[in-house]
Amino acid sequence: MTPYISFTGLQGTKSAFCVSRRRTQVKCRATKIVAESKTFDDDWLKADTTVHLLTLFGWTIPSGVAIKAYGDTSLLAAFADAIGSNLANFPQGPALDDKFWLYLITWHIGLFSTMLLGQIGWQGRKQGYFK
């Protein structure tokens, strides 16, 4: 059976033996869609290059300070050393128990936390929240 709809409002099905037709009731409702003048701000992040650069340096410089937890070296130096030693074995990636993953996660969590807090502080000051 092949269903079809005709322009006259009749709906039916064709079969090998008979054709049945019945009238369908079509309801039309007029709706009016009104757009509000308040729309979602497309630039909701309000990203500023100044914030990105300041937070990048604001995390890179402190992560370059040597601490005892990383063997009297800095997180940045330990991370860079892990990257270099893994690049020496290039076709083979780092193992799951390699210190590279700890350094990678720690450094990036610190970077993104600094960027988030920097963006909040910059936009908050700009919009007058801290008066």
Side-chain angles (χ1 to χ4, degrees), residues 10 53 65 67 75 80 82 94 108 120 124 131:
L10 295 176
L53 291 175
V65 175
I67 57 173
L75 172 62
H108 280 91
I120 289 170
K131 286 187 179 181

Side-chain angles (χ1 to χ4, degrees), residues 24-75:
T24 59
Q25 186 176 6
V26 178
K27 292 182 180 179
C28 293
R29 183 182 301 170
T31 58
K32 185 176 180 183
I33 299 173
V34 178
E36 293 185 27
S37 61
K38 290 184 179 183
T39 59
F40 183 73
D41 187 14
D42 291 337
D43 189 24
W44 61 271
L45 183 61
K46 295 180 178 35
D48 195 350
T49 308
T50 309
V51 178
H52 293 311
L53 291 175
L54 287 175
T55 55
L56 176 66
F57 293 124
W59 175 243
T60 304
I61 293 169
S63 70
V65 175
I67 57 173
K68 288 188 180 199
Y70 293 112
D72 286 332
T73 186
S74 67
L75 172 62

